[in-house]
Amino acid sequence: MWAITRGGLKQQLFNLPKTLRRPVVATSNLIRPPSPAYSTVSPNNAPSKRVGTHSGSFHCDEALGCFIIRLTNKFYNSDIVRTRDTKVLEGLDAVLDVGGVYDPSDDRYDHHQKGFEEVFGHGFNTKLSSAGLVYKHFGKEIIAKELQLSEDHPDVHRLFLAIYKNFMEAIDAVDNGINQFDTDKPPRFVNNTDLFSRVGRLNLGWMDPDQSLEKENEAFQRAMTLAGSEFLDSVRFHAKSWLPARSIVMECIAERYDTDPSGEIMVLKKFAPWKLHIFELEHEMKVEPPIKYVLYKDDRGKRWRVQAVAVSPDRFDSRKPLPAQWRGLTDDELSKEAGIRGCIFVHMSGFTGGNHTYEGALAMARTALKI
């Protein structure tokens, strides 16, 4: 059950010991959404704790932070209390995105106070939002549950970093007003399809005739569900797809000299989304010279592809495109020009080509290296 409110309390409540402080919540403000979709049972039968965040307009970071913290053993299925009343906040078990305090020992996770410069670490330098703070302190626990491993397992640490890089860091950056690109030029297009924008649109519209607390809290519940479901999708994608693919690509990189003495051609013996990993693994494995071409079997057509590796993950330019004289040609015309049997095509940009056989695709890559 979530108890969501933004009201005040009678002062005498705060003469109680901290462990007994329990904000009074009007029945009309109670919201009873489903328990977190991550776990089916509570780890214990203790009364649910209470997590506070601010009332009023909400953003992605506190909606996501509230969702994440409710996945943990310590705050499983906690009530959410939305208020700006400092006396109410003082009596709660955890507070996110309000209160002006960052103190993980007391479960206070605000980032708005003067002098706050906390970052995730591990090479990341983006200032954290409330969601990033919660993830920094509880992310490994949640990932370990998904993998059914201990928190100190290397795979848990790998996913902890990967999910921050590929999902969480953008939430932190947008909330803190950090530009994605170092340029004074205006963007070439507007992008309002990101999670932060979609959560923002769930706030009550200024022309909505019903501006009640109940409606506001219902909107916040939807925001938590949206942000949280995408977070869990990211966790599960990285656990079930990203991590196995990484292992496959690492093995193929290690065996690249078995394919060609240059070390610049890699063969995927089992297809996996290699583009997500090759740059990071090249750095970790100190690969030199860098890989120029990746060969893999196109299962749909039972043919082989040769693809040029891009210069970086966010660029379309290739390190070494397939030869200019091959581009745009197909079938017999391409085979004759390349002097290689079984050629099917080479893209006009030179980033990829195809051959009917593995031997033909390997010959295309080897020839391209020399041109």
Side-chain angles (χ1 to χ4, degrees):
M1 173 173 62
W2 299 355
I4 303 185
T5 183
R6 63 179 185 186
L9 291 182
K10 294 181 179 179
Q11 183 61 43
Q12 61 263 29
L13 275 176
F14 296 94
N15 295 324
L16 294 171
K18 182 176 180 181
T19 55
L20 298 179
R21 297 174 190 169
R22 307 290 288 178
V24 174
V25 179
T27 304
S28 61
N29 285 335
L30 289 177
I31 297 178
R32 295 180 172 85
S35 297
Y38 191 87
S39 180
T40 56
V41 295
S42 176
N44 53 59
N45 294 320
S48 62
K49 295 186 178 181
R50 299 199 172 197
V51 175
T53 190
H54 62 80
S55 55
S57 296
F58 50 79
H59 299 111
C60 186
D61 71 313
E62 72 265 24
L64 179 58
C66 287
F67 185 95
I68 292 175
I69 205 167
R70 295 179 79 240
L71 301 178
T72 66
N73 289 335
K74 186 175 183 179
F75 295 102
Y76 177 83
N77 204 17
S78 293
D79 296 339
I80 302 298
V81 181
R82 301 185 69 232
T83 182
R84 292 186 184 273
D85 188 320
T86 56
K87 292 181 179 180
V88 175
L89 295 171
E90 287 173 2
L92 302 180
D93 298 288
V95 176
L96 282 63
D97 209 46
V98 68
V101 176
Y102 168 52
D103 182 3
S105 67
D106 195 32
D107 290 306
R108 264 51 187 169
Y109 304 103
D110 196 12
H111 67 112
H112 296 100
Q113 57 274 26
K114 184 177 180 180
F116 179 88
E117 295 294 339
E118 187 75 9
V119 298
F120 187 67
H122 309 286
F124 296 96
N125 298 307
T126 299
K127 189 165 73 170
L128 298 177
S129 68
S130 60
L133 288 171
V134 172
Y135 182 78
K136 179 173 183 174
H137 293 283
F138 296 101
K140 281 191 176 181
E141 176 191 334
I142 294 168
I143 293 165
K145 288 179 183 178
E146 179 66 27
L147 295 181
Q148 298 184 341
L149 297 172
S150 64
E151 289 187 34
D152 59 358
H153 193 282
D155 285 349
V156 172
H157 183 70
R158 287 192 186 99
L159 291 196
F160 182 57
L161 300 184
I163 292 167
Y164 183 77
K165 176 181 179 180
N166 296 309
F167 185 84
M168 294 298 304
E169 187 176 20
I171 306 298
D172 291 337
V174 174
D175 193 73
N176 284 300
I178 300 172
N179 290 326
Q180 188 174 8
F181 302 103
D182 294 325
T183 177
D184 294 329
K185 295 181 179 179
R188 294 185 177 182
F189 57 88
V190 174
N191 180 12
N192 290 321
T193 62
D194 60 279
L195 179 59
F196 211 94
S197 298
R198 285 182 282 123
V199 167
R201 286 195 291 271
L202 294 177
N203 279 284
L204 298 182
W206 67 276
M207 294 186 69
D208 192 325
D210 187 348
Q211 297 284 328
S212 65
L213 302 185
E214 289 80 4
K215 282 293 184 181
E216 183 182 292
N217 292 332
E218 289 172 7
F220 186 75
Q221 177 188 328
R222 291 193 295 272
M224 284 184 62
T225 300
L226 173 60
S229 64
E230 295 208 10
F231 170 74
L232 290 181
D233 284 345
S234 181
V235 171
R236 288 162 180 161
F237 164 77
H238 282 85
K240 297 177 181 179
S241 177
W242 185 93
L243 192 60
R246 187 182 192 276
S247 299
I248 291 171
V249 176
M250 180 183 291
E251 182 180 345
C252 294
I253 290 176
E255 296 175 351
R256 67 192 185 282
Y257 283 103
D258 296 339
T259 300
D260 188 79
S262 70
E264 297 178 75
I265 303 172
M266 183 183 84
V267 177
L268 283 177
K269 297 180 179 178
K270 179 179 180 182
F271 182 78
W274 56 272
K275 297 176 190 177
L276 298 173
H277 303 283
I278 191 167
F279 301 98
E280 183 178 293
L281 287 173
E282 281 183 329
H283 176 74
E284 290 182 17
M285 300 169 71
K286 297 179 171 57
V287 172
E288 189 60 40
I291 296 167
K292 305 299 189 302
Y293 301 111
V294 175
L295 309 184
Y296 57 91
K297 192 171 186 179
D298 183 345
D299 288 335
R300 288 171 296 181
K302 303 301 181 183
R303 299 166 181 175
W304 279 84
R305 298 284 292 270
V306 51
Q307 186 157 336
V309 179
V311 297
S312 65
D314 56 350
R315 295 282 298 277
F316 292 109
D317 313 67
S318 301
R319 289 172 174 173
K320 188 172 178 58
L322 293 170
Q325 57 267 40
W326 297 359
R327 300 174 200 172
L329 302 182
T330 60
D331 302 322
D332 292 342
E333 185 180 8
L334 175 58
S335 295
K336 181 178 179 181
E337 176 64 36
I340 299 168
R341 296 179 61 183
C343 292
I344 301 172
F345 81 101
V346 169
H347 192 273
M348 284 294 297
S349 68
F351 89 96
T352 189
N355 196 287
H356 286 285
T357 67
Y358 164 73
E359 291 78 13
L362 179 57
M364 291 174 72
R366 285 174 169 171
T367 302
L369 280 177
K370 299 173 183 178
I371 296 178

